[in-house]
Amino acid sequence: MDPNTFDFEISVPVRSPVAAVGRVKPGMWPATKGVRTVYRGDYEGLGEAWGEFNDWIAAHGHRPGPDYWECYVTGPEATPD
């Protein structure tokens, strides 16, 4: 992914304020309503899974926001799934 196109935010709880270092800076997300799903399968199926998830969101009267989170339980180096 081109760093000129994407900004990444990594969320972790901290016990004290975080100081900015280089391109890394602290941030804060506003309170928001969220939905989640779990996809199990190969990476090639992610596009279809995202489509189904967005369809579910719309069918229940919601709109997706501009930001989203993905969390990978395992990577491709650990398992073919």
Side-chain angles (χ1 to χ4, degrees):
M1 292 185 191
D2 183 348
N4 294 318
T5 304
F6 293 93
D7 286 325
F8 293 93
E9 290 195 43
I10 299 171
S11 300
V12 296
V14 295
R15 293 179 191 229
S16 60
V18 175
V21 176
R23 292 178 44 201
V24 177
K25 60 185 177 185
M28 191 176 239
W29 282 59
T32 186
K33 184 181 288 188
V35 295
R36 69 180 183 141
T37 187
V38 176
Y39 166 73
R40 289 183 175 86
D42 57 30
Y43 283 83
E44 288 76 17
L46 278 174
E48 184 177 346
W50 270 107
E52 289 178 17
F53 188 48
N54 283 322
D55 290 347
W56 184 95
I57 291 169
H60 288 82
H62 304 291
R63 289 181 303 124
D67 301 309
Y68 62 90
W69 284 6
E70 288 183 348
C71 178
Y72 296 90
V73 179
T74 60
E77 74 286 345
T79 177
D81 288 336

